[in-house]
Amino acid sequence: MAQLAGKVAWITGAGSGMGKGAALLLAQEGAKIAGLDRVEDALQGTAAEIQNQKGEFLPLVADISQPEQVQRAVQQTIERWGRIDIVFANAGINGKWAPLEELEPEDWDKTHGINLKGTFLTVKYTAPHLKKQGGAIVITSSVQGTRTFSNVGGSAYGSSKAGQVAFAKLVALELAPFGVRVNVICPGSVDTNIGQNTQVSPTLDSIRTAIEYPPGSLPPLTGGKIGTPQDIAQLVLFLVSDASKLISGTEIWIDGAESLLVG
């Protein structure tokens, strides 16, 4: 029998990239998928693929930085299936990468509003339902701000990602008595479309420290090949399954050892 049979997984950013990859794999393992994204067309693509493999998918169009929209999406899930067992708080943006003097308060607020506040809202409104029977939460952070600090200009992004790790550890302890585990994945370079939401200042090179690595050396473990959404999905599956039942409050870097080299 599929290891997630009968469970409901609530996944943000499910329309593309790592969220979509996890949705497809968790559906293959028997979970019903409530997939949230700001782009309805993207959700329809994920829905079609899951339905083609005879799975169940509930599309939820919402912005995770807006409390009312997150609450509504959670309620729609409960009305449909009556429970939530798994949460993959994955949605996020790169935001603006720029020297400190060019980074406006609005840029900072937008990045933190989606990455950190959005994670908070996702966990806040799903946790009461996980506490009823126990479950697992996985948060997508990054190597940036947790083990890599050499990519200058990413102060807003990196600090939002570091904040997610601290938040996860605090919440892991709070939810442990209810049988809810909380862990963090910290991907390195992954083949997704997140770059489409990135604003890079033309002056960023002026504050970079020049470092050269041999061609094909990053990530070291894979001979320069970056990760895929499917690679990330396998780690998510492990962290939400019973195979990791004693793991909580832990961050896991998944980057082929790249952050150890460039950190």
Side-chain angles (χ1 to χ4, degrees):
M1 184 174 70
Q3 58 184 309
L4 301 181
K7 295 188 176 183
V8 174
W10 208 84
I11 300 175
T12 68
S16 63
M18 296 183 290
K20 180 177 181 178
L24 293 174
L25 182 58
L26 269 55
Q28 289 174 15
E29 290 296 330
K32 300 177 178 67
I33 308 297
L36 186 148
D37 203 288
R38 291 186 297 175
V39 182
E40 185 173 6
D41 288 346
L43 282 176
Q44 295 306 323
T46 304
E49 291 190 46
I50 288 178
Q51 289 162 0
N52 284 341
Q53 62 186 34
K54 309 302 182 185
E56 294 186 55
F57 183 83
L58 174 64
L60 302 166
V61 179
D63 180 343
I64 61 166
S65 69
Q66 302 302 312
E68 299 82 5
Q69 295 186 33
V70 177
Q71 285 181 285
R72 183 171 64 248
V74 169
Q75 186 57 38
Q76 288 175 299
T77 306
I78 297 304
E79 290 172 358
R80 175 74 172 268
W81 289 311
R83 62 188 295 152
I84 298 174
D85 304 275
I86 294 164
V87 172
F88 183 27
N90 165 73
I93 62 169
N94 278 346
K96 185 173 182 178
W97 287 57
L100 192 59
E101 292 83 353
E102 292 183 28
L103 195 65
E104 299 296 336
E106 295 78 12
D107 302 321
W108 180 276
D109 289 345
K110 181 177 181 181
T111 300
H112 279 251
I114 293 176
N115 293 352
L116 190 51
K117 180 184 175 183
T119 296
F120 159 68
L121 294 175
T122 295
V123 175
K124 172 181 173 60
Y125 293 121
T126 57
H129 302 285
L130 274 73
K131 287 166 67 174
K132 293 177 181 179
Q133 72 282 320
I137 297 169
V138 177
I139 295 170
T140 299
S141 179
S142 173
V143 297
Q144 307 293 338
T146 61
R147 200 155 72 171
T148 297
F149 301 91
S150 53
N151 289 334
V152 295
S155 58
Y157 178 80
S159 60
S160 74
K161 292 297 168 177
Q164 287 178 309
V165 174
F167 172 74
K169 291 176 182 291
L170 292 160
V171 174
L173 189 58
E174 182 176 336
L175 296 180
F178 302 94
V180 179
R181 297 183 297 107
V182 185
N183 291 294
V184 186
I185 61 171
C186 299
S189 299
V190 180
D191 185 14
T192 71
N193 64 358
I194 193 172
Q196 296 175 6
N197 295 318
T198 306
Q199 296 174 266
V200 179
S201 168
T203 65
L204 199 57
D205 287 339
S206 67
I207 61 171
R208 280 200 173 108
T209 300
I211 303 174
E212 292 187 11
Y213 297 97
S217 64
L218 303 174
L221 186 65
T222 61
K225 295 180 180 178
I226 66 173
T228 68
Q230 291 72 35
D231 295 325
I232 305 302
Q234 291 291 342
L235 177 56
V236 173
L237 174 59
F238 167 70
L239 289 173
V240 303
S241 73
D242 290 341
S244 62
K245 63 183 179 181
L246 291 182
I247 301 176
S248 192
T250 299
E251 66 269 45
I252 299 178
W253 289 275
I254 175 168
D255 69 339
E258 181 177 353
S259 59
L260 293 175
L261 180 64
V262 305

